[in-house]
Amino acid sequence: MAARPSVSDVYSAVTRAALLGLIANLTLGVVKLVGGILGNSFALIADAVNSIGDVVTTVVVLFALRVAQRPADAEHPYGHTRAEGIAATNVALLIIVSALMIAWEAIERLTVRHDLPPAWTLWIAGANVVIKEGLYQYKVRVGRRTGSASIIANAWDHRSDALCALAVLAGLGVVRFFGPRFIWADEAASLVVAAAIVWSGAQLFRSSASELMDVQADSEFVDHIRDCASSVPGVAQVETLWVRKSGLEYFADIHIQVD
C-alpha cells in the first residue's frame, strides 16, 4: 500500500497546482486582452477580465495557503487553516462583481456599431479552450488526491472558463461567417461569459461559506473515523463524533465510552 502523503506534501502539491494556474491565467489574460483591444472583440476582452480575475484569485489562494500552514498558537489553538475559506469567500464576491460589470458593459454595446473582429481572434479563443480544459483535468486530479476544496473549485473555474471560451469562439465565428448583421453575437457571447462567471463565483462562495459554518464532513468519511475508533481495544461505543473540514485538514471531536 502506498504511504499516505504528509500534510506538508499535500500543501506542496496544492501550491504547485496553484502556481501553474497563475502562470497560465496571466499569460492567457494578457494575450486575450491585447487581442480583444486590437481585434475589436469585447467577448475576448470580457474573457481576458475573467482570466485576470483568476490570477487575483490564485494569488489570494496562495497567500491563504501560506497562512494556513502556520502552527497553532495561544490565540489560534486550532491553527490557521480557516484562512483558505476566508480568502475564497472574499474572492468569490470580487468575481461576481466583476462579472456584473462586464454584463452591463456588454448590454450597453449591443446597439453600438463597430468593426468586425479579424480572423486571428478565432485562433486565440480556440487555443484558450484547449489550455483551460487541460488545466481543469490536471487540477481536479490534484484536488481529489489532496482533498483541497479550493483547488477543486479552481479546477471547475477552469472548466467554466473553457465553456466561456467556447461561447466566445462561437460568437466570433458567427460574426466572421455571417457578417455585420450579426455583430451583436460578440456582445451576446460576452453575456454568456458573464453569466458563467457569476455562476462560478456563486458556487465558490457557497462551498467556502459552508466550510466556515463548520458543516459536518461527508458521511462516508465520518463512518471511517467511527470504525477506526471502535476497533481500538477497550472502546465500548462511539457516542459523539463531529468532524469538520478546515482548509486542507479535518478536526474531529469524539466522545467514546469505556468500561
Side-chain angles (χ1 to χ4, degrees), residues 73-126:
D73 53 36
E75 294 182 353
H76 306 89
Y78 285 98
H80 300 77
T81 51
R82 283 189 185 274
E84 187 186 20
I86 294 172
T89 53
N90 286 279
V91 168
L93 293 175
L94 178 63
I95 290 173
I96 292 171
V97 170
S98 66
L100 293 176
M101 291 174 65
I102 290 171
W104 181 258
E105 181 68 19
I107 291 171
E108 288 187 330
R109 282 173 56 93
L110 279 172
T111 57
V112 177
R113 303 296 298 176
H114 49 82
D115 297 332
L116 290 176
W120 51 262
T121 56
L122 293 170
W123 288 99
I124 295 178

Side-chain angles (χ1 to χ4, degrees), residues 45-257:
I45 293 174
D47 210 16
V49 172
N50 188 18
S51 292
I52 294 171
D54 290 343
V55 170
V56 176
T57 301
T58 306
V59 169
V60 174
V61 168
L62 285 168
F63 176 75
L65 288 171
R66 188 176 182 87
V67 173
Q69 294 179 74
R70 293 177 183 173
D73 53 36
E75 294 182 353
H76 306 89
Y78 285 98
H80 300 77
T81 51
R82 283 189 185 274
E84 187 186 20
I86 294 172
T89 53
N90 286 279
V91 168
L93 293 175
L94 178 63
I95 290 173
I96 292 171
V97 170
S98 66
L100 293 176
M101 291 174 65
I102 290 171
W104 181 258
E105 181 68 19
I107 291 171
E108 288 187 330
R109 282 173 56 93
L110 279 172
T111 57
V112 177
R113 303 296 298 176
H114 49 82
D115 297 332
L116 290 176
W120 51 262
T121 56
L122 293 170
W123 288 99
I124 295 178
N128 190 34
V129 175
V130 175
I131 294 172
K132 283 293 186 177
E133 180 62 22
L135 285 170
Y136 163 77
Q137 295 293 339
Y138 168 67
K139 285 194 174 183
V140 80
R141 287 196 298 269
V142 172
R144 288 170 180 168
R145 188 176 73 247
T146 61
S148 171
S150 64
I151 289 298
I152 291 177
N154 204 218
W156 278 102
D157 188 36
H158 287 308
R159 168 58 66 84
S160 68
D161 288 349
L163 295 175
C164 287
L166 274 176
V168 173
L169 185 61
L172 289 172
V174 168
V175 174
R176 286 295 308 171
F177 292 113
F178 293 99
R181 288 187 302 121
F182 290 87
I183 196 68
W184 53 265
D186 187 54
E187 278 67 37
S190 303
L191 291 173
V192 173
V193 172
I197 297 172
V198 169
W199 182 88
S200 177
Q203 292 298 109
L204 177 58
F205 181 85
R206 179 176 176 272
S207 63
S208 55
S210 177
E211 185 175 306
L212 292 175
M213 293 292 290
D214 284 339
V215 66
Q216 176 82 322
D218 66 88
S219 58
E220 184 179 352
F221 185 60
V222 174
D223 289 341
H224 176 66
I225 295 175
R226 180 178 287 106
D227 292 340
C228 288
S230 299
S231 66
V232 175
V235 174
Q237 182 181 350
V238 176
E239 182 178 342
T240 302
L241 177 58
W242 298 327
V243 183
R244 58 186 175 88
K245 189 174 185 298
S246 183
L248 303 185
E249 303 174 39
Y250 287 88
F251 292 101
D253 294 313
I254 184 169
H255 181 197
I256 61 173
Q257 293 181 349

Side-chain angles (χ1 to χ4, degrees), residues 8-30:
S8 60
D9 290 337
V10 170
Y11 274 109
S12 296
V14 171
T15 300
R16 284 195 301 270
L19 283 171
L20 177 62
L22 186 149
I23 294 170
N25 279 320
L26 182 60
T27 303
L28 286 172
V30 172

